[in-house]
Amino acid sequence: MSDSLPDPQSRHHRQMILPGFGVAAQARLAGAHALVVGCGALGCAAIDLLARAGVGTLTLVDRDVVEVTNLQRQSLYVDADARAGAPKAEAAKRRVQAIDPALRVHACVEHLSSDNVEEFVNDCDVIIDGLDNYRTRYLLNDAAVKLGKAFVHAGAVAMRGTSMPILAGVVGALGIPRSDAPCLRCVFPEVPAPGEGETCDTAGVFGPAVAMVGAYAAGQAIKLLAGRADLLDVSFWSMELETNRMSRMSLAGAGRAECPCCGARQFEFLDAEIDGRCTVLCGRNAVQVRPASVAHLDLARLQLRLAPLGNFVITDGLLVGALQGSLELSVFPDGRAIVRGTTDPVIAQTTYDRCIGQ
Ligand SMILES: [Zn+2]
């Protein structure tokens, strides 16, 4: 394919002079839409690189707010974001727009569930995993396979991390055999049971490790979006910075015809009812509580109602305040709340019901 020479003064010139990354590839990136689910450390590393690479539209989904303990590794956020308790998706959007005002960025301060995942996935060209929980990964895996999208899985905890491209939904477009394009469930058939995997809570997390994994995942996504799928690493890639080992396990032949998801096309996670209302948030001494049914809260009215319980303020679209004792409450307009100062779902649920109602 003939390609004109890039303008040496253009923003993406140093990328465009890479072999195979010319003007046409840059135009493909500008027309592409990446969905990043989770704007923690993995998401921050990936979002920064996707934005600088010129991916034209970014949708950033995260339900949480920036806290001071995030700043050790979550590179899009600054101290003021933590002090304000800014929603991560909004703070990340501000940062991306400061990097490149030409990009379109959608910030979604939402909990991804079987209710809304297909809407998000439908609109994008690639999904990047910035998650800290397995269930939502399996939900995204279902949606990617069902709707025919590429999904770049990434995960990190302590000093190690993994990444793999999930191409089961795009085998036709990429012209690769199904047996060489496993989905997440081909490789890991079941979600690890609660308490089985380590979390940032118990194991900590090393900033450079999570940045490397996020960057690796971003690289895979950029190759795909630029039309350079031939450069993809179609392997289960893992790295570990305690003993400084890296490994790649080929995914050739790992696609299983009997896989419930990409084989039988039974999308159990998409079909599941929303599970319990409480989620313990990794590494935050906090629990998220979702409303029992779809809600739209009037935060100003709720602020008045909560005045006897503590000093509540509305900031960045959230109602935030400290309750008596050591609990803090952040309430979102969609009825979700984060109860800080506990990891006990019962205390969180009780606090929610006491303050917001059932
Ligand atoms: Zn599969």
Side-chain angles (χ1 to χ4, degrees):
M1 179 179 182
S2 74
D3 214 348
S4 52
L5 285 175
D7 171 3
Q9 296 307 315
S10 73
R11 179 184 290 261
H12 303 106
H13 176 260
R14 303 300 191 274
Q15 178 169 280
M16 286 191 281
I17 58 175
L18 292 169
F21 279 87
V23 172
Q26 197 60 44
R28 274 195 286 273
L29 287 173
H33 182 174
L35 169 66
V36 183
V37 182
C39 301
L42 285 171
C44 281
I47 291 162
D48 183 78
L49 290 165
L50 294 167
R52 291 178 194 277
V55 176
T57 306
L58 295 170
T59 295
L60 314 177
V61 184
D62 197 293
R63 63 192 176 189
D64 207 356
V65 298
V66 180
E67 295 180 28
V68 72
T69 55
N70 300 150
L71 301 179
Q72 163 246 2
R73 62 196 179 281
Q74 299 187 14
S75 56
L76 295 177
Y77 312 128
V78 296
D79 194 61
D81 295 321
R83 274 188 278 112
K88 288 183 181 177
E90 295 286 354
K93 175 182 175 175
R94 280 198 287 273
R95 177 71 177 158
V96 168
Q97 289 182 324
I99 291 168
D100 185 350
L103 304 178
R104 283 175 300 280
V105 191
H106 308 293
C108 304
V109 187
E110 287 184 48
H111 175 74
L112 199 80
S113 72
S114 50
D115 275 357
N116 60 7
V117 65
E118 290 188 53
E119 204 178 310
F120 282 116
V121 169
N122 233 335
D123 288 343
C124 76
D125 300 308
V126 67
I127 309 157
I128 293 109
D129 174 357
L131 290 161
D132 62 1
N133 75 87
Y134 288 103
R135 253 202 115 67
T136 311
R137 283 196 178 110
Y138 281 74
L139 183 66
L140 279 174
N141 183 65
D142 269 7
V145 172
K146 180 179 177 183
L147 300 173
K149 306 289 182 177
F151 174 31
V152 182
H153 157 61
V157 69
M159 299 182 80
R160 63 182 183 277
T162 58
S163 180
M164 76 179 255
I166 293 164
L167 306 173
V170 291
V171 283
L174 296 182
I176 47 178
R178 272 213 41 209
S179 58
D180 291 349
C183 81
L184 191 61
R185 294 195 74 183
C186 290
V187 182
F188 302 103
E190 300 301 331
V191 182
E196 228 176 66
E198 276 184 305
T199 69
C200 319
D201 260 333
T202 58
V205 57
F206 190 51
V210 74
M212 282 172 73
V213 178
Y216 199 80
Q220 297 273 67
I222 292 166
K223 289 172 180 177
L224 265 167
L225 296 175
R228 294 306 312 268
D230 57 306
L231 300 179
L232 280 176
D233 179 7
V234 187
S235 75
F236 183 81
W237 176 85
S238 60
M239 50 80 66
E240 198 269 288
L241 291 185
E242 197 177 347
T243 53
N244 303 307
R245 282 180 204 168
M246 281 185 212
S247 69
R248 294 168 63 242
M249 188 185 78
S250 169
L251 296 176
R256 294 187 301 118
E258 70 277 19
C259 171
C261 175
C262 68
R265 296 188 71 79
Q266 289 164 357
F267 303 113
E268 294 167 15
F269 293 87
L270 283 178
D271 294 340
E273 293 294 316
I274 297 178
D275 43 308
R277 291 172 55 201
C278 290
T279 311
V280 178
L281 300 179
C282 180
R284 297 183 190 92
N285 191 30
V287 179
Q288 175 181 258
V289 187
R290 291 190 293 281
S293 55
V294 176
H296 187 79
L297 295 180
D298 180 343
L299 293 183
R301 261 177 55 193
L302 186 61
Q303 183 184 22
L304 287 176
R305 241 179 59 203
L306 292 179
L309 292 176
N311 180 29
F312 280 79
V313 294
I314 295 176
T315 171
D316 243 339
L318 303 182
L319 180 63
V320 183
L323 297 164
Q324 280 172 349
S326 58
L327 296 179
E328 283 176 30
L329 189 65
S330 300
V331 187
F332 296 76
D334 65 2
R336 282 180 306 115
I338 293 173
V339 182
R340 283 195 186 70
T342 183
T343 53
D344 182 341
V346 176
I347 292 175
Q349 178 100 50
T350 309
T351 304
Y352 182 98
D353 290 344
R354 185 165 60 88
C355 295
I356 301 165
Q358 295 180 31

